[in-house]
């Protein structure tokens, strides 16, 4: 093929750092694309056009940071995609790496698409609070049909090339040189009619039951979205494709895009996108940041095969890390092994048809043992026994004696003091907290807690482990409850106080679920088991036999205390596992929560006993007392240097506590509410409840308001000592 038959229009786009800023996806970049296309069209020596990316990547779409100037992005790309499609010369996309967002929309404008077998494609705009605004919602259903297009557009998932080929999204996949294959294809199709290849001219493939299908899909999207607008508007845009001609569908897509752009939710999700990446960057006080400790041949030992241990082992096997699972006796080991195998079988099923296979029947990858001697060879231990300081110390003392000198010793704890655990060893620099969230093979968050002596390389290794396990690792300092649970305590405390004052569990849960939480505090408590907190409170001497005689029922250490959860536990109401908790369930182990008249009666009796006047509590008060007390604790955490920035707190809440993504995390949410308002409300509630210290506004919050409601990205600059613990 002669060189002059083609114009390779375009080399773009990620990695972002390798191309000049003005060409990323801004107006100059789009102009260059348009100019190139026009030049190719006008040049009679050019017979076909091939579009490819630079350095083996097609395009990750727009630079998300540029969405502040909408006109230059999605909306302006649409006419260029149309220009590609209307070309009288065949245009072939050569997709390598990724084709995402605007990148895939460009490919949809092309007449043919060739992809490398390892390429991934998707329209992830919904995950940043938007919809594909360059005609993607109108072209994709015409190409792959409504069900598959709806799935891709409303979830934003990336699909592998093999799946794209099955769906008809690409015409060909190749193992070798994609660009050469695209040129070959272009050469072959020169002179063939282009009409049938123009997606805007194609009808949307019919379904026998389109209306019923759409109705059902809409209900599903709405149910899952819980106040998140983008999936619902993505749905509406695809629906428009089924009901209107192409040009009208495009107009509807643009209207909906503008609604999302101005909703505030897009801003929150884009903040969350960068926050998740920002938490990968951490440093010690000396500026040391070791991110590249690689341990691809580690033998890892997971100690304890309860629910957490089972999930951790499953995640490790999924991450292809050789693992030895240890239990104290054969009975527990066999029980744990059975549960792990069930989880792994399930995971293997989900992965069927994909490139990766789960290798868990091979003893070199996964073995179960009660033999502590196997500890000699492991590189890393994750202890996952239950939350008991004495037990953990005993285990760490043993680990310190048996494990080889370089082995990293991790403790899975949700609140216990890492320094105290480390003090039982002769190598506190190699002791670190790894707080997994249940179910550990599903939840993305991993809180990584360093103690006073933890070394930077131990932190780096734990961060690398998180990455290998496809989790979001967030490095935090050591304090009771670390970041996530420490912020959760005042939230749950307020929820219970609200019951004392007149609310009901279902009313409080409803308000927080309407806000967007997957599950309210009482449903959550029933799910986790009320006995967990009861055991912890007994350990702290707040209830149970160690409570000093004569203690007041509703006061502890001079502060307000609610005995309500303890009273439920004393009556055997542990939540779902006993069939009764804050709600009633169909049976022990049941999952359907129903408001329980017994609880309502019990609460009124409790108020009578303690002479509490029942009052009506409105939704605003429920929301503010729960959320603002949690946020207030976040400011205290930042001021103490337990976390390096508000992004860390937000990423923890988004990935471990079901905080609604479209609200950007608690600290981002506070910034959108406005810090003066948060402060004023805390002051008001604190005055009404002077015996609740967690409602007293944090000094750091007051300072940020005093300096004029500083924007979130500047908050940390107002702390005199930043991250003293790092
Ligand atoms: C040849 C075709 C031409 C195409 C023209 C396109 C013109 C665009 C015009 C309009 C389009 C509008 C709609 C959109 O496109 S919206 C954007 C849709 N795209 C995305 O949402 C992709 C988001 N990114 C990712 O999913 C991943 O980052 C991925 C690209 C898969 C790479 O993952 P990974 O390898 O794990 O790396 P990181 O996630 O850590 O990212 C590396 C750094 O790159 C930064 N990054 C990534 N994507 C973007 C982005 N879209 N905008 C800005 N920055 C981005 C990321 O923050 C990392 O940077 P840092 O390390 O500094 O944090």
């Amino acid at each position: 093929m002669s060189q002059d038959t083609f114009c390779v229009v375009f080399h773009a786009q990620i990695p972002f750092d390798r191309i000049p800023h003005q060409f990323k996806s801004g107006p100059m970049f789009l102009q260059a694309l348009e100019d190139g296309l026009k030049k190719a069209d006008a040049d009679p020596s050019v017979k076909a056009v091939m579009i490819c990316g630079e350095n083996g990547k097609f395009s990750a779409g727009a630079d998300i940071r540029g969405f502040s100037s909408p006109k230059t992005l999605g909306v302006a790309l649409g006419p260029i995609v149309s220009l590609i499609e209307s070309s009288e010369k065949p245009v072939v996309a050569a997709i390598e790496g990724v084709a995402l967002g605007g990148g895939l929309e460009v490919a949809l404008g092309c007449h043919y698409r060739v992809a490398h077998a390892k390429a991934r494609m998707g329209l992830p705009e919904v995950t940043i609070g938007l919809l594909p605004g360059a005609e993607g919602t109108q072209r994709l259903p015409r190409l792959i049909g409504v069900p598959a297009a709806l799935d891709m557009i409303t979830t934003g998932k990336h699909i592998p090339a093999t799946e794209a080929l099955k769906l008809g999204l690409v015409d060909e996949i190749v193992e070798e040189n994609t660009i050469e294959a695209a040129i070959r294809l272009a050469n072959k199709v020169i002179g063939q009619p282009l009409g049938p290849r123009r997606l805007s001219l194609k009808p949307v493939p019919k379904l026998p039951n389109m209306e019923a299908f759409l109705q059902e899909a809409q209900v599903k999207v709405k149910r899952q979205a819980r106040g998140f607008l983008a999936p619902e508007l993505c749905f509406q845009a695809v629906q428009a494709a089924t009901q209107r001609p192409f040009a009208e569908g495009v107009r509807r897509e643009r209207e909906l895009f503008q609604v999302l752009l101005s909703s505030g939710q897009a801003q929150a999700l884009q903040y969350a996108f960068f926050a998740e990446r920002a938490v990968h960057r951490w440093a010690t006080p000396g500026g040391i940041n070791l991110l590249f400790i690689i341990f691809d041949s580690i033998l890892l030992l997971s100690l304890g095969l309860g629910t957490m241990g089972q999930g951790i082992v499953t995640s490790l096997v999924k991450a292809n890390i050789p693992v030895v699972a240890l239990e104290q006796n054969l009975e527990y080991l066999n029980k744990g092994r059975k549960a792990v195998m069930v989880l792994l079988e399930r995971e293997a099923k989900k992965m069927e048809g994909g490139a990766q296979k789960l290798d868990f029947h091979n003893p070199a990858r996964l073995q179960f043992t009660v033999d502590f001697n196997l500890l000699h060879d492991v590189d890393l231990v994750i202890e996952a026994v239950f939350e008991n300081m004495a037990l953990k110390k005993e285990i760490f003392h043993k680990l310190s004696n048996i494990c080889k000198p370089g082995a990293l010793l991790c403790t899975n704890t949700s609140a216990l003091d890492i320094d105290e655990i480390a003090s039982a060893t002769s190598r506190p620099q190699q002791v670190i907290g790894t707080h997994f969230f249940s179910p550990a093979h599903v939840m993305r968050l991993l809180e990584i807690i360093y103690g006073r002596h933890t070394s930077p390389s131990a932190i780096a290794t734990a961060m690398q482990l998180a990455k290998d396990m496809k989790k979001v690792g967030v490095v935090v300092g050591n304090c009771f409850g670390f970041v996530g649970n420490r912020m959760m305590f005042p939230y749950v405390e307020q929820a219970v106080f609200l019951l004392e004052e007149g609310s009901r569990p279902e009313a409080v849960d409803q308000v927080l679920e309407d806000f967007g939480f997957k599950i309210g505090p009482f449903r959550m408590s029933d799910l986790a088991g009320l006995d967990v907190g009861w055991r912890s409170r007994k350990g702290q001497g707040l209830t149970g036999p160690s409570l000093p005689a004569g203690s007041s029922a509703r006061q502890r250490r001079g502060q307000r205390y609610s005995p309500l959860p303890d009273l439920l536990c004393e009556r055997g109401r542990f939540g779902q596992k006993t069939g009764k908790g804050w709600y009633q369930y169909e049976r022990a182990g049941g999952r359907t929560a129903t408001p329980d008249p017994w609880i309502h009666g019990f609460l009124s009796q409790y108020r009578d006993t303690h002479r509490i006047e029942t009052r009506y509590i409105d939704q605003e008060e429920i929301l503010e007392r729960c959320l603002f007390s949690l946020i207030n604790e976040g400011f205290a955490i930042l001021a103490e240097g337990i976390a390096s920035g508000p992004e860390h707190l937000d990423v923890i809440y988004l990935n471990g506590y079901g905080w609604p993504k479209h609200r950007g995390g608690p600290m981002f949410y506070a910034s959108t509410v406005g810090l003066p308002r948060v402060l004023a409300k805390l002051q008001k509630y604190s005055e009404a409840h002077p015996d609740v210290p967690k409602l007293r506004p944090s000094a750091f919050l007051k300072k940020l308001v005093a300096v004029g409601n500083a924007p979130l990205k500047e908050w940390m600059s107002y702390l005199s000592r930043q991250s003293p613990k790092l």
Side-chain angles (χ1 to χ4, degrees), residues 12 60-61 70 128 190 216 311 352 384 412 417 452 482 557 611 659 710:
I128 52 168
I190 290 172
E216 208 175 294
E352 257 167 29
N412 175 56
D417 183 355
R452 197 178 308 130
F482 316 129
R557 299 161 197 161
R611 296 177 205 287
W659 183 280

Side-chain angles (χ1 to χ4, degrees), residues 10 29 90 265 270 302 307 389 398 405 409 462 467 478 502 520 524 531 536 591 616 689 715:
F10 172 68
F29 160 77
Q265 295 194 357
Q270 287 154 32
S302 176
T307 311
M389 181 55 89
K398 210 164 169 179
L409 309 180
K467 199 169 173 194
N478 184 25
M524 170 58 83
D531 51 324
S536 163
R591 290 170 172 222
Y616 169 74
H689 306 278
W715 288 358

Side-chain angles (χ1 to χ4, degrees), residues 10 16 29 59-64 67 77 102 124-125 273 277 281:
F10 172 68
F16 289 85
F29 160 77
S59 169
D63 181 343
I64 297 169
F67 274 109
L77 182 66
E125 286 86 343
F273 175 86
R277 278 142 189 94
R281 293 188 281 273

Side-chain angles (χ1 to χ4, degrees), residues 10 12-14 16 24-25 29-30 33 51-53 58-65 67 72-74 77 98 100-103 105-106 120 124-125 127-128 130 158 273-274 277-278 281:
F10 172 68
Q13 183 174 42
I14 57 160
F16 289 85
K24 282 179 180 171
S25 58
F29 160 77
L30 294 181
L33 181 54
I51 298 183
C52 66
F58 190 73
S59 169
D63 181 343
I64 297 169
R65 284 192 173 91
F67 274 109
T72 62
L73 290 168
L77 182 66
V98 289
L100 300 173
E105 289 179 300
V106 165
R120 283 185 295 140
E125 286 86 343
T127 64
I128 52 168
L130 297 170
H158 301 180
F273 175 86
F274 290 112
R277 278 142 189 94
R281 293 188 281 273

Side-chain angles (χ1 to χ4, degrees), residues 4-54:
D4 60 355
T5 37
F6 288 95
C7 174
V8 177
V9 176
F10 172 68
H11 292 275
Q13 183 174 42
I14 57 160
F16 289 85
D17 52 351
R18 297 212 200 129
I19 50 167
H21 174 74
Q22 65 271 30
F23 288 111
K24 282 179 180 171
S25 58
M28 287 185 67
F29 160 77
L30 294 181
Q31 193 56 57
L33 181 54
E34 188 177 343
D35 291 348
L37 284 164
K38 285 185 175 159
K39 205 166 140 206
D41 239 12
D43 184 344
S45 70
V46 173
K47 303 285 183 249
V49 176
M50 188 272 302
I51 298 183
C52 66
E54 192 181 36

